[in-house]
mmCIF file of all heavy atoms in Angstrom:
data_model
loop_
_atom_site.group_PDB
_atom_site.id
_atom_site.type_symbol
_atom_site.label_atom_id
_atom_site.label_comp_id
_atom_site.label_asym_id
_atom_site.label_seq_id
_atom_site.Cartn_x
_atom_site.Cartn_y
_atom_site.Cartn_z
ATOM 1 N N PRO A 260 0.799 -1.250 0.010
ATOM 2 C CA PRO A 260 -0.010 0.026 0.006
ATOM 3 C C PRO A 260 0.796 1.322 0.059
ATOM 4 O O PRO A 260 0.328 2.350 -0.314
ATOM 5 C CB PRO A 260 -0.798 -0.101 1.282
ATOM 6 C CG PRO A 260 -0.816 -1.588 1.652
ATOM 7 C CD PRO A 260 0.549 -2.106 1.225
ATOM 8 N N TRP A 261 2.122 1.184 0.374
ATOM 9 C CA TRP A 261 2.984 2.341 0.418
ATOM 10 C C TRP A 261 4.047 2.328 -0.722
ATOM 11 O O TRP A 261 5.089 3.023 -0.582
ATOM 12 C CB TRP A 261 3.742 2.321 1.789
ATOM 13 C CG TRP A 261 2.799 2.297 2.968
ATOM 14 C CD1 TRP A 261 2.195 3.348 3.583
ATOM 15 C CD2 TRP A 261 2.405 1.122 3.695
ATOM 16 N NE1 TRP A 261 1.425 2.900 4.587
ATOM 17 C CE2 TRP A 261 1.551 1.544 4.715
ATOM 18 C CE3 TRP A 261 2.623 -0.296 3.563
ATOM 19 C CZ2 TRP A 261 0.953 0.636 5.678
ATOM 20 C CZ3 TRP A 261 2.083 -1.169 4.488
ATOM 21 C CH2 TRP A 261 1.174 -0.666 5.423
ATOM 22 N N GLU A 262 3.758 1.721 -1.797
ATOM 23 C CA GLU A 262 4.708 1.529 -2.876
ATOM 24 C C GLU A 262 5.215 2.891 -3.393
ATOM 25 O O GLU A 262 6.405 3.026 -3.786
ATOM 26 C CB GLU A 262 4.168 0.675 -3.986
ATOM 27 C CG GLU A 262 5.111 0.387 -5.089
ATOM 28 C CD GLU A 262 6.274 -0.526 -4.658
ATOM 29 O OE1 GLU A 262 6.151 -1.238 -3.626
ATOM 30 O OE2 GLU A 262 7.314 -0.549 -5.417
ATOM 31 N N SER A 263 4.311 3.866 -3.498
ATOM 32 C CA SER A 263 4.698 5.116 -4.044
ATOM 33 C C SER A 263 5.682 5.905 -3.300
ATOM 34 O O SER A 263 6.515 6.661 -3.828
ATOM 35 C CB SER A 263 3.462 6.029 -4.313
ATOM 36 O OG SER A 263 2.755 6.288 -3.112
ATOM 37 N N THR A 264 5.610 5.754 -1.962
ATOM 38 C CA THR A 264 6.621 6.464 -1.078
ATOM 39 C C THR A 264 7.626 5.571 -0.436
ATOM 40 O O THR A 264 8.756 5.941 -0.242
ATOM 41 C CB THR A 264 5.796 7.192 0.074
ATOM 42 O OG1 THR A 264 5.037 6.185 0.788
ATOM 43 C CG2 THR A 264 4.847 8.240 -0.534
ATOM 44 N N ASP A 265 7.278 4.339 -0.226
ATOM 45 C CA ASP A 265 8.227 3.369 0.449
ATOM 46 C C ASP A 265 8.194 2.029 -0.327
ATOM 47 O O ASP A 265 7.582 1.085 0.090
ATOM 48 C CB ASP A 265 7.793 3.108 1.874
ATOM 49 C CG ASP A 265 7.809 4.459 2.729
ATOM 50 O OD1 ASP A 265 8.891 4.784 3.254
ATOM 51 O OD2 ASP A 265 6.759 5.062 2.844
ATOM 52 N N PRO A 266 8.868 1.981 -1.470
ATOM 53 C CA PRO A 266 8.825 0.762 -2.267
ATOM 54 C C PRO A 266 9.593 -0.402 -1.649
ATOM 55 O O PRO A 266 10.522 -0.138 -0.828
ATOM 56 C CB PRO A 266 9.463 1.243 -3.642
ATOM 57 C CG PRO A 266 10.402 2.286 -3.196
ATOM 58 C CD PRO A 266 9.692 3.050 -2.042
ATOM 59 N N VAL A 267 9.266 -1.611 -2.096
ATOM 60 C CA VAL A 267 10.052 -2.732 -1.712
ATOM 61 C C VAL A 267 11.258 -2.754 -2.623
ATOM 62 O O VAL A 267 11.157 -2.764 -3.816
ATOM 63 C CB VAL A 267 9.257 -4.049 -1.890
ATOM 64 C CG1 VAL A 267 10.075 -5.238 -1.592
ATOM 65 C CG2 VAL A 267 8.022 -4.053 -0.980
ATOM 66 N N ARG A 268 12.471 -2.870 -1.972
ATOM 67 C CA ARG A 268 13.732 -2.886 -2.726
ATOM 68 C C ARG A 268 14.442 -4.211 -2.466
ATOM 69 O O ARG A 268 14.106 -4.933 -1.558
ATOM 70 C CB ARG A 268 14.620 -1.667 -2.325
ATOM 71 C CG ARG A 268 13.909 -0.328 -2.538
ATOM 72 C CD ARG A 268 14.850 0.817 -2.140
ATOM 73 N NE ARG A 268 14.180 2.109 -2.182
ATOM 74 C CZ ARG A 268 14.090 2.904 -3.290
ATOM 75 N NH1 ARG A 268 14.652 2.446 -4.417
ATOM 76 N NH2 ARG A 268 13.442 4.033 -3.272
ATOM 77 N N VAL A 269 15.480 -4.431 -3.209
ATOM 78 C CA VAL A 269 16.310 -5.679 -3.113
ATOM 79 C C VAL A 269 16.920 -5.741 -1.675
ATOM 80 O O VAL A 269 16.844 -6.799 -1.034
ATOM 81 C CB VAL A 269 17.429 -5.713 -4.124
ATOM 82 C CG1 VAL A 269 18.370 -6.898 -3.845
ATOM 83 C CG2 VAL A 269 16.865 -5.803 -5.487
ATOM 84 N N VAL A 270 17.329 -4.631 -1.122
ATOM 85 C CA VAL A 270 17.883 -4.642 0.222
ATOM 86 C C VAL A 270 16.878 -5.015 1.248
ATOM 87 O O VAL A 270 17.217 -5.690 2.292
ATOM 88 C CB VAL A 270 18.550 -3.284 0.562
ATOM 89 C CG1 VAL A 270 17.440 -2.214 0.726
ATOM 90 C CG2 VAL A 270 19.402 -3.349 1.802
ATOM 91 N N ASN A 271 15.633 -4.705 1.059
ATOM 92 C CA ASN A 271 14.546 -5.114 1.965
ATOM 93 C C ASN A 271 14.414 -6.644 2.019
ATOM 94 O O ASN A 271 14.165 -7.231 3.086
ATOM 95 C CB ASN A 271 13.228 -4.518 1.629
ATOM 96 C CG ASN A 271 13.236 -2.970 1.677
ATOM 97 O OD1 ASN A 271 12.854 -2.331 0.762
ATOM 98 N ND2 ASN A 271 13.738 -2.446 2.796
ATOM 99 N N LEU A 272 14.531 -7.255 0.867
ATOM 100 C CA LEU A 272 14.404 -8.737 0.791
ATOM 101 C C LEU A 272 15.627 -9.402 1.537
ATOM 102 O O LEU A 272 15.372 -10.302 2.334
ATOM 103 C CB LEU A 272 14.434 -9.170 -0.635
ATOM 104 C CG LEU A 272 13.229 -8.718 -1.526
ATOM 105 C CD1 LEU A 272 13.571 -8.969 -2.994
ATOM 106 C CD2 LEU A 272 12.007 -9.400 -1.161
ATOM 107 N N LEU A 273 16.776 -8.876 1.373
ATOM 108 C CA LEU A 273 17.970 -9.362 2.049
ATOM 109 C C LEU A 273 17.918 -9.199 3.550
ATOM 110 O O LEU A 273 18.262 -10.148 4.298
ATOM 111 C CB LEU A 273 19.232 -8.662 1.510
ATOM 112 C CG LEU A 273 19.723 -9.000 0.116
ATOM 113 C CD1 LEU A 273 20.784 -8.061 -0.370
ATOM 114 C CD2 LEU A 273 20.275 -10.456 0.116
ATOM 115 N N ASP A 274 17.419 -8.030 3.999
ATOM 116 C CA ASP A 274 17.429 -7.696 5.438
ATOM 117 C C ASP A 274 16.139 -8.089 6.116
ATOM 118 O O ASP A 274 16.069 -7.870 7.333
ATOM 119 C CB ASP A 274 17.606 -6.197 5.612
ATOM 120 C CG ASP A 274 18.981 -5.714 5.238
ATOM 121 O OD1 ASP A 274 19.853 -6.532 4.902
ATOM 122 O OD2 ASP A 274 19.271 -4.521 5.356
ATOM 123 N N HIS A 275 15.206 -8.734 5.438
ATOM 124 C CA HIS A 275 13.908 -9.065 6.062
ATOM 125 C C HIS A 275 13.155 -7.794 6.512
ATOM 126 O O HIS A 275 12.636 -7.740 7.631
ATOM 127 C CB HIS A 275 14.058 -10.012 7.189
ATOM 128 C CG HIS A 275 14.654 -11.339 6.828
ATOM 129 N ND1 HIS A 275 14.015 -12.163 5.898
ATOM 130 C CD2 HIS A 275 15.754 -12.022 7.204
ATOM 131 C CE1 HIS A 275 14.771 -13.250 5.714
ATOM 132 N NE2 HIS A 275 15.807 -13.172 6.450
ATOM 133 N N THR A 276 13.129 -6.792 5.720
ATOM 134 C CA THR A 276 12.433 -5.546 6.075
ATOM 135 C C THR A 276 11.292 -5.195 5.119
ATOM 136 O O THR A 276 10.986 -4.000 4.943
ATOM 137 C CB THR A 276 13.379 -4.403 6.263
ATOM 138 O OG1 THR A 276 14.104 -4.209 5.051
ATOM 139 C CG2 THR A 276 14.328 -4.598 7.481
ATOM 140 N N THR A 277 10.770 -6.147 4.374
ATOM 141 C CA THR A 277 9.692 -5.937 3.417
ATOM 142 C C THR A 277 8.371 -5.675 4.125
ATOM 143 O O THR A 277 7.534 -5.018 3.626
ATOM 144 C CB THR A 277 9.546 -7.166 2.473
ATOM 145 O OG1 THR A 277 9.255 -8.332 3.294
ATOM 146 C CG2 THR A 277 10.785 -7.334 1.606
ATOM 147 N N GLY A 278 8.202 -6.277 5.317
ATOM 148 C CA GLY A 278 6.913 -6.318 5.981
ATOM 149 C C GLY A 278 5.954 -7.434 5.504
ATOM 150 O O GLY A 278 4.818 -7.501 5.994
ATOM 151 N N PHE A 279 6.464 -8.375 4.647
ATOM 152 C CA PHE A 279 5.657 -9.490 4.213
ATOM 153 C C PHE A 279 5.432 -10.403 5.410
ATOM 154 O O PHE A 279 6.240 -10.485 6.379
ATOM 155 C CB PHE A 279 6.343 -10.255 3.181
ATOM 156 C CG PHE A 279 6.507 -9.504 1.836
ATOM 157 C CD1 PHE A 279 7.508 -9.789 0.923
ATOM 158 C CD2 PHE A 279 5.568 -8.543 1.492
ATOM 159 C CE1 PHE A 279 7.615 -9.136 -0.291
ATOM 160 C CE2 PHE A 279 5.696 -7.929 0.277
ATOM 161 C CZ PHE A 279 6.682 -8.163 -0.593
ATOM 162 N N ASP A 280 4.344 -11.189 5.335
ATOM 163 C CA ASP A 280 4.102 -12.256 6.281
ATOM 164 C C ASP A 280 5.051 -13.425 5.919
ATOM 165 O O ASP A 280 5.452 -13.531 4.763
ATOM 166 C CB ASP A 280 2.646 -12.697 6.142
ATOM 167 C CG ASP A 280 2.186 -13.558 7.339
ATOM 168 O OD1 ASP A 280 2.886 -13.634 8.329
ATOM 169 O OD2 ASP A 280 1.082 -14.164 7.235
ATOM 170 N N ASP A 281 5.463 -14.152 6.914
ATOM 171 C CA ASP A 281 6.254 -15.339 6.609
ATOM 172 C C ASP A 281 5.347 -16.410 6.023
ATOM 173 O O ASP A 281 4.135 -16.225 5.845
ATOM 174 C CB ASP A 281 6.897 -15.939 7.860
ATOM 175 C CG ASP A 281 8.175 -16.731 7.550
ATOM 176 O OD1 ASP A 281 8.451 -16.998 6.313
ATOM 177 O OD2 ASP A 281 8.923 -17.059 8.469
ATOM 178 N N PHE A 282 5.972 -17.563 5.596
ATOM 179 C CA PHE A 282 5.168 -18.588 4.888
ATOM 180 C C PHE A 282 3.924 -18.985 5.642
ATOM 181 O O PHE A 282 3.925 -18.984 6.912
ATOM 182 C CB PHE A 282 6.093 -19.842 4.650
ATOM 183 C CG PHE A 282 6.543 -20.426 5.954
ATOM 184 C CD1 PHE A 282 5.805 -21.342 6.644
ATOM 185 C CD2 PHE A 282 7.852 -20.174 6.452
ATOM 186 C CE1 PHE A 282 6.228 -21.930 7.823
ATOM 187 C CE2 PHE A 282 8.249 -20.740 7.623
ATOM 188 C CZ PHE A 282 7.513 -21.596 8.255
ATOM 189 N N LYS A 283 2.839 -19.177 4.904
ATOM 190 C CA LYS A 283 1.702 -19.777 5.530
ATOM 191 C C LYS A 283 2.009 -21.208 5.974
ATOM 192 O O LYS A 283 2.731 -21.925 5.287
ATOM 193 C CB LYS A 283 0.411 -19.731 4.581
ATOM 194 C CG LYS A 283 0.116 -18.370 4.023
ATOM 195 C CD LYS A 283 -0.226 -17.348 5.097
ATOM 196 C CE LYS A 283 -0.600 -16.036 4.508
ATOM 197 N NZ LYS A 283 -0.936 -15.042 5.619
ATOM 198 N N LEU A 284 1.417 -21.633 7.062
ATOM 199 C CA LEU A 284 1.809 -22.903 7.644
ATOM 200 C C LEU A 284 1.537 -24.087 6.790
ATOM 201 O O LEU A 284 2.042 -25.195 7.010
ATOM 202 C CB LEU A 284 1.150 -23.069 9.046
ATOM 203 C CG LEU A 284 1.524 -22.066 10.036
ATOM 204 C CD1 LEU A 284 0.783 -22.270 11.370
ATOM 205 C CD2 LEU A 284 3.032 -22.003 10.297
ATOM 206 N N ASN A 285 0.699 -23.899 5.700
ATOM 207 C CA ASN A 285 0.399 -25.026 4.816
ATOM 208 C C ASN A 285 1.331 -24.933 3.568
ATOM 209 O O ASN A 285 1.068 -25.700 2.594
ATOM 210 C CB ASN A 285 -1.104 -25.043 4.381
ATOM 211 C CG ASN A 285 -1.462 -23.753 3.730
ATOM 212 O OD1 ASN A 285 -0.929 -22.660 3.975
ATOM 213 N ND2 ASN A 285 -2.440 -23.837 2.790
ATOM 214 N N ARG A 286 2.249 -23.998 3.538
ATOM 215 C CA ARG A 286 3.058 -23.831 2.332
ATOM 216 C C ARG A 286 4.548 -23.958 2.639
ATOM 217 O O ARG A 286 5.378 -23.199 2.010
ATOM 218 C CB ARG A 286 2.739 -22.433 1.718
ATOM 219 C CG ARG A 286 1.355 -22.344 1.188
ATOM 220 C CD ARG A 286 0.949 -20.940 0.790
ATOM 221 N NE ARG A 286 -0.493 -20.911 0.372
ATOM 222 C CZ ARG A 286 -0.943 -20.985 -0.784
ATOM 223 N NH1 ARG A 286 -0.116 -21.176 -1.830
ATOM 224 N NH2 ARG A 286 -2.245 -20.958 -1.093
ATOM 225 N N MET A 287 4.933 -24.788 3.579
ATOM 226 C CA MET A 287 6.312 -25.015 3.904
ATOM 227 C C MET A 287 6.718 -26.440 3.548
ATOM 228 O O MET A 287 7.796 -26.656 2.999
ATOM 229 C CB MET A 287 6.573 -24.726 5.423
ATOM 230 C CG MET A 287 8.003 -24.945 5.784
ATOM 231 S SD MET A 287 8.296 -24.553 7.507
ATOM 232 C CE MET A 287 10.064 -24.830 7.611
ATOM 233 N N TYR A 288 5.936 -27.467 3.937
ATOM 234 C CA TYR A 288 6.312 -28.794 3.769
ATOM 235 C C TYR A 288 5.231 -29.577 2.941
ATOM 236 O O TYR A 288 4.057 -29.250 3.071
ATOM 237 C CB TYR A 288 6.532 -29.572 5.071
ATOM 238 C CG TYR A 288 7.797 -29.146 5.838
ATOM 239 C CD1 TYR A 288 7.634 -28.761 7.218
ATOM 240 C CD2 TYR A 288 9.017 -29.151 5.279
ATOM 241 C CE1 TYR A 288 8.767 -28.340 7.905
ATOM 242 C CE2 TYR A 288 10.065 -28.868 6.024
ATOM 243 C CZ TYR A 288 9.996 -28.431 7.369
ATOM 244 O OH TYR A 288 11.115 -28.102 8.065
ATOM 245 N N SER A 289 5.652 -30.671 2.345
ATOM 246 C CA SER A 289 4.696 -31.618 1.775
ATOM 247 C C SER A 289 5.420 -32.977 1.738
ATOM 248 O O SER A 289 6.621 -33.066 1.677
ATOM 249 C CB SER A 289 4.399 -31.255 0.289
ATOM 250 O OG SER A 289 3.630 -32.234 -0.353
ATOM 251 N N LEU A 290 4.582 -34.032 1.855
ATOM 252 C CA LEU A 290 5.133 -35.394 1.679
ATOM 253 C C LEU A 290 5.270 -35.808 0.300
ATOM 254 O O LEU A 290 5.901 -36.859 -0.047
ATOM 255 C CB LEU A 290 4.281 -36.397 2.532
ATOM 256 C CG LEU A 290 4.447 -36.345 4.031
ATOM 257 C CD1 LEU A 290 3.682 -37.507 4.623
ATOM 258 C CD2 LEU A 290 5.888 -36.478 4.492
ATOM 259 N N ALA A 291 4.627 -35.113 -0.600
ATOM 260 C CA ALA A 291 4.706 -35.446 -2.040
ATOM 261 C C ALA A 291 6.087 -35.106 -2.564
ATOM 262 O O ALA A 291 6.692 -34.087 -2.314
ATOM 263 C CB ALA A 291 3.667 -34.601 -2.842
ATOM 264 N N ARG A 292 6.644 -36.094 -3.298
ATOM 265 C CA ARG A 292 7.964 -35.914 -3.894
ATOM 266 C C ARG A 292 7.808 -35.115 -5.164
ATOM 267 O O ARG A 292 7.815 -35.585 -6.287
ATOM 268 C CB ARG A 292 8.638 -37.259 -4.137
ATOM 269 C CG ARG A 292 9.004 -37.997 -2.881
ATOM 270 C CD ARG A 292 10.148 -37.212 -2.117
ATOM 271 N NE ARG A 292 10.629 -37.884 -0.939
ATOM 272 C CZ ARG A 292 10.321 -37.499 0.282
ATOM 273 N NH1 ARG A 292 9.489 -36.475 0.529
ATOM 274 N NH2 ARG A 292 10.885 -38.119 1.331
ATOM 275 N N THR A 293 7.756 -33.791 -4.987
ATOM 276 C CA THR A 293 7.500 -32.927 -6.156
ATOM 277 C C THR A 293 8.679 -31.930 -6.269
ATOM 278 O O THR A 293 9.066 -31.348 -5.232
ATOM 279 C CB THR A 293 6.188 -32.128 -5.992
ATOM 280 O OG1 THR A 293 5.140 -33.080 -5.749
ATOM 281 C CG2 THR A 293 5.887 -31.339 -7.239
ATOM 282 N N ASP A 294 9.170 -31.721 -7.446
ATOM 283 C CA ASP A 294 10.170 -30.706 -7.719
ATOM 284 C C ASP A 294 9.521 -29.505 -8.330
ATOM 285 O O ASP A 294 8.681 -29.618 -9.190
ATOM 286 C CB ASP A 294 11.273 -31.282 -8.624
ATOM 287 C CG ASP A 294 12.141 -32.281 -7.925
ATOM 288 O OD1 ASP A 294 12.743 -31.901 -6.921
ATOM 289 O OD2 ASP A 294 12.258 -33.419 -8.465
#
């Protein structure tokens, strides 16, 4: 929502300062052998 004044930059991804939520608990592991 703040992209015009405070955009997400590469450094934010590296430093964990994007403000994104971490993985949803159903999107980390699976028993299916899928690549």
Side-chain angles (χ1 to χ4, degrees):
W261 303 275
E262 184 68 21
S263 61
T264 56
D265 300 274
V267 176
R268 302 179 186 273
V269 173
V270 68
N271 299 130
L272 298 167
L273 285 168
D274 289 1
H275 296 300
T276 55
T277 57
F279 294 154
D280 195 11
D281 204 351
F282 60 85
K283 303 301 181 182
L284 297 179
N285 61 328
R286 296 172 185 264
M287 181 178 182
Y288 289 127
S289 171
L290 284 186
R292 289 294 184 255
T293 306
D294 289 303

